Every structure is written in structure tokens, then in C-alpha cells.
């Protein structure tokens, strides 16, 4: 197996995206709003880590001009319930850094975005993803054996950026009987930029009926064959997880254990190769 596995988990957790937030020009301000720079954690959620951004822009605005804050990149409203790293890889990965995000305080796009009035909404979304993932991996046995405080530990670990606190509990969600060779099913989502459907998510086992380990390439062949470059073809797509393109031979079970987001899903972005 590649580099020390614990290092992989650490690299995933501490991945950051330098970001520049600017206020949308149509907002009414008392004086000029300076941009705000922040290193965004790839594994977190926009609405969870942007309190400072909000405070910064509220300094130049009147209370009556402020509604729910939302974010947009080059005309696309950013779905806060997708992990930050997924949003970046999907919409901006081939562009220069810092990532420039526009901040809005009015005209909330109801048909594109979920409302996020408080952190408890993020927590509920995060916990429901973890439960959905465990239903796929262990028929929900692990998450149901946990106590309320264990669930809270997962959430607080993410919210407060505490790697050890999170993984002390999350490793239980990554265990499986050795004889099974992996989870029951792999929790994954495949996103495409050029698609109206939000993502592809179907049942897929980490091990074939004959007992051989399925790879990332095997998953793509079944779910999104266009993403694979055949011999002699020009490469059309990049298959990106956490900003990197893993080898298609990589076992899916290993990826699920090491490159899943804290919500326990493997988020895979299929993006068109930039044409010059």
C-alpha cells in the first residue's frame, strides 16, 4: 500500500484551498468592501467555515440590507451541502488560485440551493450522510451501535477541525470482517460538471463475485464509461478525488477507507480536460 496510511488520512483532512471572497457588486454598502482571504478546508462545508467572511462584510452593510448569505462562483450558486473540495474540483479545479467566490446577501436562489439558517442544519445533513453510508457498508450496524455522544464526537471533530477526535470514532465506521474483503457496498457519488442530474449513486460492491478486488476503473466502467480513455483516444476527462487523479487500478475498498470525506462517501468528480 502507498505512503503510510495514517499520513494519507492526515493529508486528506488538512487539505486547504486558498480562497478570495468578494462582495457581489449589487449589494448596498456604506463604504467599499475589501475582499476577504481564507484557507478553506476541503473536507468541511462552506456555511460551517465562513462566519468570519460574514462578519467581515457585515461591517460595511446596514442590517436591513442583509438576508441569508450565499455563495456563487462564475454565475453558479455553490451548494453548501456538497463538501468544499467537491465544489472546487467540480467548478474551479483548472483555474488559477486563489479561488474567487462571490458573496451575496439577497436574492437567495431557492431553486438551486438549500437554506442553511444554522449549524444544526449542517449537522443534520452530515449525520444523515454518515448513516446512509453505514447502511451501505454495514447494514447500519456500526452507526446504530454508537451512542448519541459518539455521533456528537464525529460532528464536533469536523466542526472544530479535530483530526484525532474525529478519527478515534470514525475508524469504527471503516472496519469490516477480514473474510469479507471489504464493505458490503461502497458509498460513492460521481459528479459531472456538464450534467443536470446532481450525481450518480448506485450499489457497487468492493469485491467481485469471484472474490477479486474491484478498482476505481471497474466502478467507472459500470457507472460512467465515458470517463475512461481507451487506447489511442485523446483523454477527455479527469477523474478527481480530493484534487488528485488516483490511478484507475487503485482498489476501491482502499479508496473508500482512505479518501472518503468525513461524511464517509467517496466523492468522485469527472471533469472535462481543459482544451487550450
Amino acid at each position: 500500500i502507498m505512503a503510510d496510511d495514517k499520513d494519507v488520512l492526515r493529508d486528506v483532512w488538512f487539505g486547504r484551498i486558498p480562497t478570495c471572497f468578494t462582495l457581489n457588486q449589487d449589494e448596498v454598502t456604506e463604504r467599499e468592501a475589501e475582499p476577504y482571504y481564507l484557507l478553506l478546508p476541503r473536507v468541511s462545508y462552506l456555511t460551517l467555515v465562513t462566519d468570519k467572511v460574514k462578519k467581515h462584510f457585515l461591517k460595511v452593510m446596514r442590517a436591513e440590507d442583509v438576508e441569508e448569505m450565499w455563495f456563487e462562483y462564475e454565475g453558479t450558486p455553490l451548494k453548501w451541502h456538497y463538501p468544499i473540495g467537491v465544489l472546487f474540483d467540480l467548478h474551479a479545479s483548472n483555474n488559477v488560485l486563489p479561488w474567487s467566490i462571490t458573496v451575496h446577501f439577497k436574492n437567495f436562489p431557492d431553486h438551486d440551493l438549500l437554506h442553511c439558517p444554522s449549524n444544526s442544519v449542517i449537522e443534520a445533513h452530515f449525520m444523515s450522510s454518515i448513516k446512509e453510508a453505514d447502511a451501505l457498508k454495514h447494514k447500519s450496524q456500526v452507526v446504530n451501535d454508537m451512542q448519541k455522544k459518539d455521533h456528537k464526537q464525529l460532528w464536533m471533530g469536523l466542526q472544530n477541525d479535530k483530526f484525532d477526535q474525529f478519527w478515534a470514532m470514525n475508524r469504527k465506521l471503516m472496519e469490516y470482517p477480514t473474510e469479507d474483503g471489504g464493505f458490503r457496498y461502497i458509498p460513492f457519488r460521481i459528479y459531472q460538471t456538464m450534467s443536470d442530474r446532481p450525481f450518480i449513486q448506485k450499489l457497487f460492491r468492493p469485491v467481485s463475485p469471484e472474490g477479486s478486488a474491484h478498482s476505481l476503473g471497474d466502478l467507472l466502467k459500470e457507472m460512467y464509461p465515458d470517463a475512461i480513455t481507451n487506447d489511442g483516444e485523446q483523454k477527455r476527462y479527469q477523474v478527481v478525488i480530493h484534487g488528485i487523479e488516483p490511478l484507475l487500478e487503485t482498489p476501491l475498498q482502499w479508496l473508500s477507507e482512505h479518501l472518503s470525506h468525513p461524511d464517509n462517501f467517496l466523492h468522485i468528480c469527472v471533469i472535462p480536460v481543459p482544451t487550450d
Side-chain angles (χ1 to χ4, degrees):
I1 279 176
M2 315 179 214
D4 178 22
D5 288 357
K6 182 97 186 217
D7 289 344
V8 175
L9 299 180
R10 219 171 262 286
D11 287 347
V12 163
W13 183 273
F14 290 107
R16 295 290 184 268
I17 301 164
T19 306
C20 171
F21 291 90
T22 32
L23 191 62
N24 172 37
Q25 287 164 339
D26 298 344
E27 303 288 337
V28 181
T29 57
E30 308 268 79
R31 56 182 188 279
E32 178 123 20
E34 298 287 323
Y36 190 82
Y37 290 87
L38 196 59
L39 284 172
L40 292 178
R42 274 184 161 274
V43 298
S44 195
Y45 299 94
L46 270 176
T47 43
L48 190 58
V49 293
T50 46
D51 281 350
K52 287 177 177 158
V53 176
K54 190 174 187 174
K55 285 197 181 90
H56 169 78
F57 290 119
L58 291 187
K59 284 185 208 146
V60 300
M61 299 179 72
R62 294 194 316 241
E64 59 264 34
D65 294 321
V66 175
E67 291 163 31
E68 185 172 349
M69 179 171 69
W70 58 280
F71 304 97
E72 164 246 310
Y73 172 70
E74 292 190 348
T76 303
L78 295 173
K79 298 181 189 301
W80 67 261
H81 64 289
Y82 288 6
I84 290 168
V86 173
L87 291 170
F88 178 78
D89 291 341
L90 204 52
H91 300 299
S93 56
N94 289 308
N95 296 11
V96 281
L97 291 169
W99 186 16
S100 53
I101 291 180
T102 306
V103 182
H104 294 259
F105 286 99
K106 52 175 188 288
N107 304 326
F108 191 94
D110 286 297
H111 55 290
D112 291 315
L113 300 182
L114 302 175
H115 285 278
C116 186
S118 71
N119 280 2
S120 60
V121 176
I122 313 169
E123 180 179 3
H125 167 72
F126 174 69
M127 287 315 303
S128 80
S129 292
I130 283 193
K131 288 171 182 169
E132 186 181 349
D134 200 55
L136 292 165
K137 293 200 282 194
H138 308 108
K139 296 185 181 174
S140 303
Q141 280 155 346
V142 180
V143 82
N144 289 346
D145 281 348
M146 288 180 173
Q147 299 173 1
K148 197 100 182 109
K149 67 173 172 56
D150 300 334
H151 292 177
K152 206 74 188 165
Q153 181 172 332
L154 289 165
W155 165 247
M156 295 306 283
L158 176 71
Q159 180 180 269
N160 301 327
D161 194 19
K162 299 279 189 246
F163 173 81
D164 293 315
Q165 180 185 2
F166 176 81
W167 270 100
M169 195 53 63
N170 196 54
R171 61 185 176 75
K172 297 180 182 176
L173 293 165
M174 293 298 173
E175 289 166 0
Y176 57 88
T178 319
E179 63 273 15
D180 291 356
F183 303 137
R184 196 155 153 266
Y185 296 105
I186 297 287
F188 73 90
R189 289 180 181 155
I190 297 174
Y191 303 80
Q192 311 136 263
T193 337
M194 303 302 164
S195 168
D196 292 337
R197 64 190 290 193
F199 46 73
I200 297 168
Q201 181 183 333
K202 295 178 182 162
L203 295 178
F204 194 81
R205 294 188 186 271
V207 179
S208 76
E210 298 75 53
S212 60
H214 278 148
S215 68
L216 176 59
D218 295 327
L219 175 74
L220 292 166
K221 263 185 215 101
E222 186 151 325
M223 304 295 162
Y224 197 157
D226 280 357
I228 295 178
T229 311
N230 298 314
D231 292 345
E233 282 183 351
Q234 187 85 31
K235 181 174 167 179
R236 289 181 301 162
Y237 293 102
Q238 292 169 302
V239 177
V240 174
I241 306 176
H242 290 294
I244 56 171
E245 287 187 78
L247 294 169
L248 294 183
E249 300 78 52
T250 313
L252 208 48
Q253 177 65 34
W254 188 91
L255 288 171
S256 187
E257 289 172 54
H258 297 91
L259 294 192
S260 286
H261 269 268
D263 67 2
N264 277 247
F265 274 82
L266 205 48
H267 295 273
I268 303 164
C269 294
V270 178
I271 47 186
V273 169
T275 48
D276 295 331

